[in-house]
Amino acid sequence: RRVVEELGDDEQRRVVEASEEENLLVLAGPGSGKTKTVVHRIAWLLKIRHVPAHSILALCFNHDAAVQLRRRLRALAGDAARGVTVMTYHALAMRLTGTSFRALADRSATDKTVAAEMDFTRPIREAIALLKGQSAADPGERNEARDRVLAGFRFILVDEYQDVDDSQYDLISALAGRTLQEPDAQP
């Protein structure tokens, strides 16, 4: 009940209650409730449509936004929100590529062009290559690696989409399967 009753207006309600088969883009100004709408959409999927939590990925611009979204989701959906993956683009890329902060620091220290700063763009580039099936020499191996990474995610929700840069857009597109050549392989 709270999932729809706490929404500010009919537009938010239409987005939250939209069919699971629809792709949605919410364009709205600052302070208009975009994050609230994302949180309520996830809660709607979990509590009303009974979508498994592990099939939902929410991407946020930075760590603080991810923590805030996670808190708001737990407050609204309770234990149902436990398996929802909420993370930043960089955290997702690092998870997909198996990159640790230690490995990233070691790589950056050996790269002469990056003086004492960690290169957070590299895991995103590598994740995009993995999702596009470009990270292994054997095509079968590439498809298997991509399928392993994509297994389970059916819903991708992006908070503050208007702030994504080119590499983050490429990551979202690759994750959603837009860059795949074979239409049947798109998730």
Side-chain angles (χ1 to χ4, degrees):
R1 200 178 220 176
R2 286 181 49 214
V3 172
V4 289
E5 287 180 358
E6 291 182 2
L7 291 169
D9 60 37
D10 290 338
E11 287 294 319
Q12 288 175 322
R13 189 177 189 148
R14 276 196 289 280
V15 169
V16 167
E17 294 176 334
S19 164
E20 296 94 78
E21 304 309 315
E22 280 185 70
N23 291 320
L24 304 170
L25 175 62
V26 177
L27 298 173
S32 60
K34 293 181 299 292
T35 300
K36 182 177 186 174
T37 303
V38 168
V39 168
H40 282 254
R41 173 68 175 172
I42 295 170
W44 172 267
L45 292 169
L46 293 168
K47 303 287 266 179
I48 308 303
R49 303 305 300 167
H50 306 288
V51 169
H54 69 270
S55 68
I56 301 171
L57 169 66
L59 293 172
C60 299
F61 194 67
N62 61 41
H63 177 73
D64 291 339
V67 168
Q68 182 65 19
L69 194 143
R70 230 180 263 117
R71 282 185 188 145
R72 291 169 72 174
L73 182 58
R74 272 192 231 119
L76 182 62
D79 285 341
R82 281 185 177 240
V84 174
T85 302
V86 179
M87 55 185 21
T88 66
Y89 303 100
H90 293 94
L92 174 66
M94 290 174 70
R95 180 182 288 180
L96 294 175
T97 59
T99 305
S100 67
F101 281 105
R102 176 69 178 176
L104 192 58
D106 290 347
R107 276 194 219 161
S108 295
T110 59
D111 186 353
K112 304 295 184 219
T113 62
V114 180
E117 285 188 26
M118 289 201 289
D119 180 8
F120 282 99
T121 62
R122 187 172 182 169
I124 289 181
R125 289 190 313 269
E126 290 173 354
I128 292 166
L130 174 68
L131 292 169
K132 286 182 176 181
Q134 299 170 343
S135 62
D138 174 33
E141 197 176 307
R142 288 194 307 254
N143 290 336
E144 183 182 316
R146 184 181 62 232
D147 291 346
R148 211 175 33 249
V149 168
L150 293 176
F153 289 133
R154 184 170 165 223
F155 298 91
I156 304 168
L157 294 97
V158 180
D159 192 30
E160 301 295 344
Y161 184 80
Q162 75 278 0
D163 293 331
V164 301
D165 62 22
D166 290 341
S167 64
Q168 293 162 342
Y169 176 81
D170 289 344
L171 179 62
I172 295 165
S173 294
L175 186 61
R178 286 193 50 213
T179 57
L180 298 178
Q181 299 301 316
E182 323 87 47
D184 292 341
Q186 293 187 10

